Amino acid sequence: MRYPKKSPETLLALRRGLVQRILREQPEIPEAARWIRESLGLNQQDFARLVGLSTPQVARLERGEANPTLETLLAIGKPYGLSLGFTHPSLAQLLVPDTGAPLNATPPTRRPGHKRAPLPPLSFTKPPDDDI
């Protein structure tokens, strides 16, 4: 399916707001990859060439059918200097500058039929002093 090219103004707005949008909405990998590609104004073939993947790999990734490697995920985030890490939804408020809009501190709703076991909350403990 072909979509009309975005105007330079639209692309600039997408680029400027991408990182904030990712932090605010906490998308799953397929959606985030598509947002990154679209904000660059690239089709799947050109984006694949940019990040060192094949066009079918990008298509499967955006449909949620791929199991990308860490290297692939880092390549996709590289155009924006994005890296990977663990975050807790309640910490998102600390990561996003005040935009005047309230942040949702709960994880995003999963697609229907997508079941995942609940994860325990993150906890950090200080090791005993004699183990250091």
Side-chain angles (χ1 to χ4, degrees):
M1 180 180 285
R2 296 195 143 241
Y3 295 97
K5 286 197 172 214
K6 292 177 175 44
S7 71
E9 296 81 17
T10 301
L11 286 174
L12 184 60
L14 286 172
R15 289 177 186 148
R16 286 184 175 162
L18 179 71
V19 173
Q20 303 305 338
R21 184 178 181 196
I22 287 173
L23 288 171
R24 184 179 59 249
E25 297 183 29
Q26 299 181 17
E28 291 191 7
I29 290 169
E31 191 171 26
R34 184 175 43 81
W35 291 354
I36 291 168
R37 177 181 60 79
E38 289 177 347
S39 72
L40 294 170
L42 300 175
N43 60 32
Q44 289 180 342
Q45 183 178 12
D46 293 336
F47 184 69
R49 205 171 304 127
L50 175 72
V51 298
L53 299 173
S54 70
T55 304
Q57 284 176 305
V58 171
R60 283 192 307 272
L61 178 72
E62 290 185 4
R63 286 192 308 263
E65 298 171 356
N67 187 13
T69 64
L70 177 60
E71 183 178 286
T72 297
L73 295 174
L74 291 172
I76 290 167
K78 189 174 183 177
Y80 283 95
L82 300 173
S83 61
L84 300 173
F86 295 101
T87 60
H88 190 274
S90 65
L91 297 177
Q93 205 166 3
L94 301 174
L95 301 174
V96 180
D98 183 23
T99 60
L103 279 178
N104 182 357
T106 58
T109 308
R110 302 282 177 213
R111 290 180 198 84
H114 182 85
K115 295 181 181 177
R116 184 180 292 169
L119 297 174
L122 295 177
S123 64
F124 300 94
T125 57
K126 181 177 178 247
D129 291 333
D130 57 352
D131 287 350
I132 297 178

